[in-house]
Amino acid sequence: MLKRLEIAGFKSFAKKTTLDFANATTAIVGPNGSGKSNVAEAFRFALGEQSMKSMRGKRAEDLIWSGSASSPRANRAAVAIVFDNAPKGPLRGQRQFKVDFDEVSIERAVFRDGSSEYSINGSRVRLRDIDELLAGANIGETGHHIISQGEADRILLSNPHERRQMLEDALGLAVYEFKKAESEKKLVKTEENINQVQGLRRELSPHLRFLEKQVEKLERADEMRSELARVCQTYFAIEDRYLASEKKSVARDIVAAGERTARVTAELNQIEEGATTDAEGGKRLAEVRKWESEVERFGNERSALARELGRVEGGLAAAKRRSAEVAREPYAKVPREDLAALRDEVERQVERASTPDAIAAALKSIANAVRAFMERFAAPADDVLAEEEKAAYALEREKTELSEKEAKLAKDHEHAKSALARAREALTAHDETGKEMRRRILGLAEEKAKAEGEQVRLESHGRELDLLAAELGGGKAEALAIAGTSAVSYAPLEMVPVEERKAQEDRKKSIERLKIRLEEAGGTGEDIRTEYKDVSEREAFLARELDDLGKSAAGLRSLIDDLDTELAKHFSEGLAKVNAAFGEFFALMFGGGGARLTLEAPERDDFEDGEEPGDEVKEPERPGIEISVTIPKKRVQSLMQLSGGERALTSIALIFAMSQVNPPPFLILDETDAALDEANSRRYGDMIENLARKSQLIVITHNRETMGRASVLYGVTMGGDGISKLLSVKFDEAVAVAK
Ligand code: ATP
């Protein structure tokens, strides 16, 4: 409920002026030009009116006291409307404004630079906040509750769309519109976000697909790696067992052969010594002993040489294996950034190539770049290769030297052996004991040579086994590096399984094949996997985000739909009620006839003056409001054909009908009754009394009849200083002042 209006520096109210309002009707009276309409405009101003025209001004300055001879101009115009906001209703729980104060003061000030300040109960707020607060209290912004002087028929003159807005406002539907606009704004924002997220996902997807493929390749490599580990486990376990048992049997056989040699030698010595007693025999025996020791010496030297040769051959095999590896993967040590640079260069060339000529040129420069790259990175690998080959070459030379030495030693050995045989023959020939003895000695010598040969063969086989063991160690180290610890984690075997040796060779071949394929597949790709994880997490995040946004957009759309439904329902109900009251009031004022509001036919293709076809597109689904009237005994086709008085009566009927259906908290009527004759003035007065039961009325009037219906009367006067002054007056005084 309106409590009071405080005006300071606004238009002709130079000094601070306060109007207290009573429960029912307040009339403001006074001579022409005294400042009565300025009071109505003060209301409009404080409620946030943005149109200067509806406050009869051009600039903000026009609203500020402009000064007179006796009083300087003001720099600021301020108006405050104070409402009673104490809880009302059956349970005293209903406040008019949705703020927790018993009194609400809405204030606006304007300055000469045109800026406005708004406040609620002394706290600065935005215009928006004022609008929202007013809409919640059924005080709309189209100003249907303030009827300015000469503007009573504004609703008749305005276009169907504006009329609809006034009607919605009067029906208190502004709150729905407010909420709807808010939701629509949110929806637009949400849809922008959806587009943005979709854009991000689109940008991400080729990269994600690329990474997916890379990771698939890495997974295939993982499978190969575990396959390699599996084969390695079997191969190494069998090979370990095989080498160990071979070694053991070789060692055993060497011992046996050594024993045989020793046994045969001892027997031989015994026979030879027993057989020879004379001097000549002694000499020949000494000759035999000499060649025996020569044969043994050469044999030992050859064994040492063979061991040395074995070492050199082992080294040579290892060096050859290494250089084969280097040759197999010459680019293994190319730094990542150089690869990236090459890629960038190729991409740059490809991007530029749009015409056939440019493509040819680009291909040429790509070829150059690749060649330069190869030269740069093939070289270091060649260096490594050369180094390995140099080492192999040195070992090869050493091997040749040792082989030559061995050949010479073998010759000397053979020579000593045949010298020994000859010495033995000479010894046995000298011996008289006969042929039997000679045959025995020859047999033993042959047996000894055989045993020694066997020993040499076994020793060489032992060395071969050592070489194989060393090679196996190398193989394990390599498998460990490529396939991880599982390749060398296996339980030792009790015995060599029963299978062909070829099975192991096949395993070895498949190990080599897998190694080559793994080397071609590249490293473990940890960075690719990390990136894939990051990118797919981001993608999942965006998908969730999109889902959430989609849900909130759907929520907003259904909220908007609900609001539309609510609006449509309240609107059509309200329209029916207003129509009923409009018809009734109209008939009352005109003593018959009828009037009604109708919804404009949809799909209009003629346009009101000043309207552009484009304007219509914005709200095509909301038909405007038309007014049709029938006046008793007249044939009226259009509103324009009505007389001034008839127009005033029609608009009064409509304004009162709207006010009755949804009573506004207050209603200001500025000389709405100016054109009425005596009979209509009385009816007008009756209607005012009727309306005053539900709304507070403030009437600015010269009409005696109207003044008579007011319970509080204010007189406005203006002296020679141009300042409006306010005073409480009695009915008789009011009648006098009004003249
Ligand atoms: P009527 O009965 O003829 O309609 P009224 O009482 O409604 O008259 P208003 O139109 O409210 O009178 O008052 C107009 C007066 O206010 C004029 O005298 C005008 O000079 C004065 N006025 C308007 N703006 C200013 C201003 N910025 N500074 C000083 N005076 C102003």
Side-chain angles (χ1 to χ4, degrees):
M1 193 188 113
L2 272 180
K3 245 178 161 172
R4 60 182 182 278
L5 179 73
E6 295 166 1
I7 317 179
F10 183 82
K11 289 201 164 186
S12 55
F13 289 90
K15 306 244 162 62
K16 182 168 176 181
T17 309
T18 302
L19 279 86
D20 289 301
F21 297 106
N23 245 331
T25 306
T26 304
I28 298 173
V29 303
N32 291 137
S34 58
K36 300 186 297 296
S37 293
N38 292 345
V39 174
E41 276 149 20
F43 271 102
R44 280 192 191 283
F45 172 75
L47 296 178
E49 178 63 67
Q50 296 300 296
S51 148
M52 274 294 155
K53 208 172 116 209
S54 66
M55 294 183 289
R56 289 182 301 166
K58 282 204 180 85
R59 293 156 295 149
E61 282 193 300
D62 297 338
L63 303 179
I64 304 173
W65 164 247
S66 58
S68 68
S70 60
S71 176
R73 67 173 202 172
N75 288 321
R76 164 182 195 271
V79 178
I81 307 177
V82 180
F83 294 90
D84 180 5
N85 195 39
K88 294 253 160 51
L91 297 167
R92 296 191 56 77
Q94 206 81 36
R95 288 190 192 271
Q96 185 182 3
F97 294 94
K98 290 178 186 67
V99 286
D100 216 9
F101 294 103
D102 283 352
E103 206 175 77
V104 171
S105 157
I106 290 172
E107 184 170 7
R108 177 184 181 183
V110 69
F111 299 87
R112 287 200 176 268
D113 66 0
S115 61
S116 278
E117 274 177 7
Y118 299 89
S119 40
I120 295 174
N121 285 7
S123 301
R124 286 281 297 274
V125 294
R126 298 163 302 170
L127 173 58
R128 236 185 87 83
D129 302 315
I130 304 258
D131 286 346
E132 207 171 331
L133 187 71
L134 292 175
N138 194 25
I139 305 173
E141 51 184 315
T142 52
H144 63 276
H145 41 64
I146 302 176
I147 312 298
S148 290
Q149 191 177 358
E151 280 216 332
D153 55 357
R154 186 159 70 103
I155 193 159
L156 303 191
L157 298 173
S158 52
N159 69 37
H161 180 68
E162 288 165 347
R163 250 180 238 142
R164 179 179 181 124
Q165 220 156 20
M166 280 186 241
L167 181 66
E168 282 182 354
D169 221 356
L171 290 171
L173 303 182
V175 212
Y176 295 99
E177 292 285 7
F178 223 91
K179 282 189 195 154
K180 193 180 150 191
E182 199 124 287
S183 307
E184 276 167 347
K185 230 193 276 167
K186 274 192 209 152
L187 183 61
V188 167
K189 189 102 200 89
T190 308
E191 275 164 353
E192 274 170 18
N193 286 342
I194 287 177
N195 283 339
Q196 217 175 344
V197 173
Q198 275 169 341
L200 287 175
R201 277 184 93 189
R202 257 199 308 281
E203 264 171 45
L204 213 58
S205 92
H207 189 45
L208 184 64
R209 270 204 302 280
F210 166 77
L211 288 172
E212 250 161 22
K213 285 217 187 80
Q214 293 301 102
V215 169
E216 268 168 33
K217 270 191 207 153
L218 288 172
E219 276 163 4
R220 278 203 295 279
D222 284 347
E223 275 164 31
M224 279 196 275
R225 219 164 296 178
S226 40
E227 164 76 5
L228 175 62
R230 246 189 335 272
V231 182
C232 277
Q233 284 167 2
T234 317
Y235 176 75
F236 290 149
I238 294 175
E239 205 63 6
D240 279 353
R241 190 65 260 164
Y242 169 75
L243 288 181
S245 61
E246 277 290 287
K247 235 176 155 168
K248 207 166 143 196
S249 83
V250 164
R252 204 177 47 226
D253 290 353
I254 285 176
V255 170
E259 277 166 0
R260 219 166 79 216
T261 313
R263 188 169 39 74
V264 173
T265 307
E267 201 177 328
L268 202 57
N269 287 350
Q270 204 185 14
I271 292 172
E272 281 170 351
E273 256 156 53
T276 314
T277 47
D278 62 320
E280 177 60 23
K283 225 169 86 196
R284 291 188 186 192
L285 183 61
E287 186 72 8
V288 167
R289 289 286 173 268
K290 185 188 113 194
W291 285 114
E292 269 179 354
S293 81
E294 279 294 273
V295 167
E296 195 177 329
R297 185 170 65 83
F298 284 129
N300 287 342
E301 274 177 31
R302 281 182 78 188
S303 284
L305 202 61
R307 273 196 297 279
E308 181 68 5
L309 202 55
R311 181 187 64 75
V312 169
E313 276 174 346
L316 192 58
K320 277 186 177 158
R321 199 175 54 233
R322 278 197 300 277
S323 57
E325 269 162 25
V326 173
R328 205 190 293 146
E329 199 186 6
Y331 303 111
K333 294 181 183 66
V334 176
R336 219 181 139 72
E337 54 271 26
D338 288 292
L339 278 173
L342 179 64
R343 182 201 59 210
D344 292 346
E345 174 61 22
V346 171
E347 278 174 359
R348 205 163 32 247
Q349 295 295 348
V350 170
E351 238 162 58
R352 267 191 221 140
S354 47
T355 64
D357 281 353
I359 291 170
L363 283 176
K364 208 170 274 172
S365 59
I366 289 171
N368 283 338
V370 171
R371 194 174 312 118
F373 185 83
M374 291 276 290
E375 273 162 17
R376 177 143 176 237
F377 292 109
D382 282 351
D383 283 352
V384 176
L385 198 58
E387 206 118 292
E388 291 293 353
E389 276 168 359
K390 218 154 75 191
Y393 178 70
L395 287 166
E396 196 91 55
R397 262 226 324 253
E398 207 176 333
K399 185 183 159 189
T400 316
E401 272 168 24
L402 288 173
S403 302
E404 278 165 6
K405 232 189 221 168
E406 152 69 12
K408 196 178 156 295
L409 262 181
K411 225 157 106 194
D412 291 348
H413 197 188
E414 283 313 312
H415 172 73
K417 274 185 194 162
S418 43
L420 176 61
R422 272 196 310 278
R424 278 204 178 113
E425 223 156 301
L427 179 65
T428 39
H430 167 75
D431 205 334
E432 298 298 314
T433 44
K435 284 191 175 133
E436 181 56 27
M437 179 73 67
R438 200 161 46 195
R439 225 183 42 243
R440 178 89 183 111
I441 288 176
L442 279 176
L444 282 171
E446 200 177 323
E447 200 179 329
K448 188 181 170 187
K450 237 194 229 161
E452 278 171 347
E454 173 72 0
Q455 225 173 321
V456 168
R457 191 190 62 76
L458 286 169
E459 274 168 5
S460 127
H461 185 45
R463 278 195 302 280
E464 217 174 288
L465 290 174
D466 285 343
L467 253 172
L468 282 176
E471 212 175 291
L472 185 65
K476 282 181 190 171
E478 210 182 339
L480 176 72
I482 297 177
T485 46
S486 78
V488 290
S489 313
Y490 51 87
L493 292 180
E494 295 279 331
M495 51 185 287
V496 181
V498 185
E499 60 172 23
E500 300 258 334
R501 207 35 209 155
K502 189 170 171 302
Q504 275 295 79
E505 279 161 24
D506 288 346
R507 282 184 197 109
K508 194 171 179 196
K509 268 186 212 142
S510 71
I511 287 173
E512 290 309 319
R513 262 200 308 276
L514 283 167
K515 275 189 202 161
I516 290 171
R517 281 174 62 196
L518 275 168
E519 272 165 20
E520 281 165 1
T524 52
E526 272 326 305
D527 42 352
I528 293 273
R529 287 179 214 251
T530 320
E531 195 178 351
Y532 174 68
K533 188 167 160 273
D534 291 351
V535 171
S536 52
E537 270 169 13
R538 172 134 180 81
E539 154 65 23
F541 169 78
L542 289 176
R544 274 200 305 280
E545 184 105 324
L546 200 59
D547 193 47
D548 288 350
L549 285 170
K551 276 183 195 143
S552 71
L556 285 168
R557 274 189 210 104
S558 93
L559 179 64
I560 291 169
D561 276 356
D562 289 352
L563 287 170
D564 272 336
T565 317
E566 286 273 284
L567 252 173
K569 181 171 153 266
H570 288 299
F571 181 75
S572 64
E573 282 170 11
L575 180 64
K577 283 186 196 155
V578 168
N579 255 337
F582 185 27
E584 205 178 293
F585 286 139
F586 186 89
L588 183 72
M589 300 290 267
F590 282 91
R596 57 183 289 105
L597 303 178
T598 51
L599 282 177
E600 205 181 11
E603 277 175 305
R604 227 167 28 115
D605 37 27
D606 56 317
F607 296 100
E608 303 267 333
D609 287 347
E611 262 187 334
E612 292 295 323
D615 292 348
E616 209 65 17
V617 182
K618 283 186 206 155
E619 293 274 345
E621 80 278 19
R622 285 161 52 91
I625 299 276
E626 313 263 31
I627 300 172
S628 60
V629 293
T630 44
I631 294 175
K633 293 181 229 113
K634 288 190 181 175
R635 288 189 54 181
V636 179
Q637 245 83 54
S638 114
L639 290 174
M640 290 302 138
Q641 291 174 324
L642 297 177
S643 76
E646 285 168 341
R647 267 221 302 279
L649 289 174
T650 308
S651 13
I652 288 167
L654 181 51
I655 289 163
F656 283 20
M658 292 193 298
S659 300
Q660 177 168 293
V661 169
N662 185 40
F666 61 90
L667 186 61
I668 299 169
L669 301 165
D670 188 355
E671 297 190 35
T672 314
D673 51 9
L676 303 183
D677 59 23
E678 225 177 285
N680 277 326
S681 290
R682 244 194 329 279
R683 290 180 190 132
Y684 181 83
D686 292 343
M687 286 197 276
I688 279 185
E689 270 185 50
N690 201 33
L691 281 185
R693 286 193 204 120
K694 289 192 174 141
S695 304
Q696 251 175 308
L697 294 189
I698 295 159
V699 292
I700 297 168
T701 186
H702 291 290
N703 192 313
R704 203 189 138 88
E705 182 64 44
T706 309
M707 287 180 211
R709 315 284 178 141
S711 50
V712 173
L713 287 151
Y714 282 114
V716 180
T717 57
M718 186 182 279
D721 55 4
I723 299 177
S724 297
K725 288 182 197 67
L726 192 79
L727 51 146
S728 258
V729 291
K730 300 244 157 48
F731 176 71
D732 291 339
E733 292 169 327
V735 175
V737 166
K739 296 262 164 72

